[in-house]
Amino acid sequence: MLLDHLTAQYWLTHHAKYRPQHVAIIFGETKLTYKQLNEQVNKLIKAFQKAGIRKGDKIATLLSNSIELLEVYWACAGMGAVAVPLSPLLQDAGLKNLLVNADTKLLITEKPNCRNLDDIIKDVDQLQDSHVWIIDSEASNQRYASYQSLKEEQSIESPIVETVKGDDVYNIIYSSGTTGLPKGIVITHAVRAMYGCLFANAFRISPESIIMHSGSIIFNGSFLTLMPAMYLGCTYVLHHHFDPVTVLEDIKKNKVTHTILVPSQIISCLHYDAFSKTHLPSLEYILSVGAPLLLAHKTLLGDKLPDVFYELYGLTEGFMTILDKYDSLRKAGSVGRPPAFMQLKIVDDNGHELAVGSIGEIIGKGPLLMESYYKDEQQTATAIKDNWLYTGDIGYVDEDGFLFLTGRKKDLIISGGVNVYPSDIEEVCIKHKAVKDVAVFGVEHKEWGETPIAAIVLNTGDINTIAEADLKEWINKNITARFQKVADVIILHELPRNVAGKIIKTALRETYLSMHR
């Protein structure tokens, strides 16, 4: 019975009733109170219902950050439809595959993403022309419907909706596909409600907090603060896209207290003097997500903005650890501990728990666990065994239970029969004063099986002042063990990343091999 009520269905209507004039959303020059946002969402629910959308139907979005995307999320929460946010960067075949896989009943997109749309949707059985809506105040394509027009035809009064229960599906979030084809991760209302409660507590968010998000809100990481913001009735400041200058200006202007930044965004901000406690006194929290932040960058961030850094390691599938800001110096290099209600183990290849300090696969369980991979029982059974999620990541815990990452199983380099962890070498590389960013990967070696290669991005002023051979020599002088020696160094203008900001090491490997054929 308790699970039945663990939903986000009435969060918005609750705040519209009890704090109607509190600012809910700031997007550029637009501000909406909770009363205004609720009215817009009421109209959208009615537009969905008029179009034949019912509880459980899949609504896919192909949108950049916008108020409309937030409206879709909360309309889905309110009526029990399933939000399926897709990346605008998807290529035609990839987009078609996901629309089909998700059983998409309605697609909402915008003008810049309409290229080849006619060809894409003709093979999506449930998508009739009337079920493609374009974000555009003037309908520019008579074949498809105008989102604004359909919404504005409706009244602002509360719609009649079915009751949503905790085990009803809220989202299908597609993985970024760094290790294979994207998988549809099914997230229930109970899990999203737990995001609101659990992370509000873990991140010290209050109803008076002002939360900013500058990355794309189609990714699961955005829900780490979006759900607490809506649970507590905070003000949510959304950016169209990440720009370091705009981020710093907006933190100061809006007195932002909480923001999420992926490592590459943190590195960008670190180059600005204004990224400091003096200039940003309101800031209480920066959460680093998406990929490990190297220790040198953590140290610099701590010098410029003390007592604000949190780090989260986790998977959309439903396991996380959090490094609290008050542990970030004491446990430097760690990604923290599991939050309340979650458990962590390190296991060997047979699933047996390993001793403290031993390196093995990270597995976890708790109330944030996904329901399944959508329509994929085999992959679900591989990932979840006896309610434990097998992450595919490797690491160890110390005597206090703090987790330390050593990499992904698929990134592990085995050289001469010895396990070589890329992160150990990356932490050495980043200490060189000319190095801005680094990724270490393995390539085949006829004698050792595999050998490490370092891909380096240099600071702007050092691009023409240091050679790859000099970097290689410096790295190999400073590593802790001979088997960590890099066989080569390549200097790149940037590291290849997927749309979620994670480095794509397969692409680095292909680039390196193509350079040495």
Side-chain angles (χ1 to χ4, degrees):
M1 283 293 293
L2 180 61
L3 185 63
D4 287 349
H5 302 287
L6 198 59
T7 80
Q9 182 174 24
Y10 296 116
W11 287 0
L12 180 55
T13 55
H14 176 89
H15 298 311
K17 179 179 179 179
Y18 292 110
R19 50 182 3 207
Q21 300 310 315
H22 190 78
V23 175
I25 295 173
I26 300 174
F27 183 71
E29 298 302 314
T30 302
K31 291 185 180 181
L32 292 178
T33 65
Y34 275 98
K35 180 177 183 291
Q36 291 169 328
L37 177 60
N38 187 56
E39 289 172 350
Q40 295 303 308
V41 169
N42 283 347
K43 291 195 288 187
L44 185 55
I45 290 174
K46 290 179 179 179
F48 286 162
Q49 291 173 333
K50 188 174 180 180
I53 302 300
R54 299 291 179 261
K55 179 182 174 182
D57 286 341
K58 315 304 189 300
I59 300 176
T61 61
L62 197 66
L63 296 172
S64 51
N65 283 1
S66 58
I67 288 177
E68 289 84 0
L69 182 51
L70 289 173
E71 289 175 350
V72 172
Y73 284 166
W74 294 103
C76 286
M79 68 179 293
V82 180
V84 186
L86 301 178
S87 170
L89 299 180
L90 281 166
Q91 299 297 310
D92 296 356
L95 174 58
K96 182 188 297 184
N97 289 340
L98 296 192
L99 291 172
V100 171
N101 181 260
D103 299 315
T104 304
K105 190 73 174 289
L106 176 68
L107 171 64
I108 300 173
T109 186
E110 55 197 340
K111 274 186 181 179
N113 303 322
C114 289
R115 183 178 60 86
N116 299 334
L117 193 58
D118 293 356
D119 292 333
I120 291 168
I121 68 167
K122 68 182 181 183
D123 296 324
V124 185
D125 292 340
Q126 297 188 72
L127 268 185
Q128 305 166 16
D129 291 352
S130 61
H131 280 180
V132 178
W133 296 3
I134 310 295
I135 302 289
D136 178 17
S137 57
E138 297 179 5
S140 59
N141 185 329
Q142 296 302 314
R143 180 173 177 181
Y144 305 123
S146 166
Y147 174 98
Q148 278 85 355
S149 297
L150 291 172
K151 187 182 76 170
E152 293 308 319
E153 290 172 0
Q154 311 305 318
S155 65
I156 64 173
E157 287 75 30
S158 297
I160 298 172
V161 295
E162 292 185 57
T163 299
V164 175
K165 296 184 178 180
D167 57 2
D168 289 328
V169 179
Y170 185 117
N171 279 131
I172 298 176
I173 301 285
Y174 279 91
S175 66
S176 53
T178 55
T179 57
L181 293 174
K183 299 182 286 288
I185 301 164
V186 179
I187 309 292
T188 64
H189 266 265
V191 169
R192 285 298 182 220
M194 284 298 299
Y195 267 55
C197 308
L198 194 153
F199 292 120
N201 176 64
F203 301 148
R204 298 178 175 87
I205 298 173
S206 74
E208 291 69 45
S209 296
I210 299 173
I211 296 172
M212 185 179 75
H213 199 85
S214 55
S216 175
I217 59 171
I218 66 168
F219 299 116
N220 191 65
S222 66
F223 290 87
L224 296 168
T225 50
L226 175 59
M227 298 311 289
M230 296 302 294
Y231 167 60
L232 293 173
C234 305
T235 295
Y236 191 76
V237 182
L238 180 64
H239 287 192
H240 182 269
H241 61 277
F242 172 78
D243 174 77
V245 174
T246 307
V247 163
L248 299 179
E249 289 175 347
D250 236 16
I251 292 173
K252 189 168 188 178
K253 173 184 173 183
N254 290 304
K255 296 182 172 57
V256 169
T257 58
H258 293 69
T259 190
I260 293 177
L261 296 171
V262 301
S264 59
Q265 294 169 345
I266 291 174
I267 293 168
S268 294
C269 290
L270 284 170
H271 288 83
Y272 292 86
D273 292 338
F275 196 53
S276 68
K277 194 67 176 176
T278 302
H279 290 88
L280 307 175
S282 66
L283 201 58
E284 303 170 9
Y285 156 108
I286 294 174
L287 178 66
S288 176
V289 298
L293 183 67
L294 294 174
L295 189 57
H297 295 138
K298 291 181 187 179
T299 302
L300 182 56
L301 176 60
D303 291 340
K304 292 170 75 73
L305 280 159
D307 297 331
V308 303
F309 176 74
Y310 293 70
E311 188 165 20
L312 182 139
Y313 156 76
L315 287 76
T316 303
E317 286 88 339
F319 175 71
M320 286 91 173
T321 62
I322 299 169
L323 181 67
D324 187 82
K325 64 181 180 179
Y326 294 121
D327 291 321
S328 60
L329 292 179
R330 184 172 67 92
K331 293 292 183 179
S334 169
V335 291
R337 303 176 293 183
F341 313 123
M342 304 197 76
Q343 298 177 54
L344 160 69
K345 287 200 296 190
I346 305 296
V347 299
D348 62 19
D349 289 340
N350 297 313
H352 299 136
E353 187 169 7
L354 296 173
V356 167
S358 298
I359 294 174
E361 184 171 3
I362 302 162
I363 69 172
K365 70 176 180 179
L368 302 183
L369 199 62
M370 69 175 180
E371 180 181 89
S372 64
Y373 291 120
Y374 191 56
K375 299 190 297 189
D376 197 332
E377 293 181 5
Q378 183 175 351
Q379 292 250 37
T380 302
T382 299
I384 302 175
K385 302 170 186 176
D386 297 324
N387 293 319
W388 287 90
L389 175 67
Y390 282 67
T391 67
D393 293 330
I394 48 180
Y396 65 93
V397 294
D398 69 6
E399 63 280 0
D400 297 320
F402 281 73
L403 176 65
F404 291 75
L405 298 180
T406 52
R408 285 196 62 79
K409 270 189 171 183
K410 293 187 177 182
D411 291 338
L412 177 66
I413 302 165
I414 302 177
S415 184
V418 178
N419 290 347
V420 179
Y421 300 101
S423 60
D424 292 342
I425 305 172
E426 289 163 355
E427 290 289 4
V428 172
C429 296
I430 200 67
K431 291 178 182 177
H432 193 290
K433 63 181 181 179
V435 175
K436 178 182 178 182
D437 207 357
V438 59
V440 171
F441 57 95
V443 296
E444 289 186 10
H445 188 279
K446 62 182 179 182
E447 184 176 353
W448 303 110
E450 287 184 297
T451 190
I453 308 294
I456 300 286
V457 176
L458 297 175
N459 293 313
T460 304
D462 296 301
I463 288 175
N464 299 313
T465 61
I466 190 165
E468 293 169 341
D470 295 333
L471 278 172
K472 175 185 171 182
E473 181 180 0
W474 185 90
I475 293 165
N476 288 338
K477 280 183 178 179
N478 286 275
I479 54 171
T480 56
R482 290 183 62 188
F483 57 78
Q484 294 174 327
K485 281 188 174 183
V486 297
D488 207 351
V489 168
I490 56 172
I491 295 176
L492 303 175
H493 290 295
E494 61 181 2
L495 300 178
R497 298 178 185 271
N498 64 20
V499 289
K502 296 180 181 179
I503 295 170
I504 308 172
K505 292 197 174 182
T506 53
L508 283 174
R509 190 175 296 110
E510 290 168 5
T511 297
Y512 179 80
L513 293 175
S514 68
M515 293 166 61
H516 291 81
R517 285 193 180 114

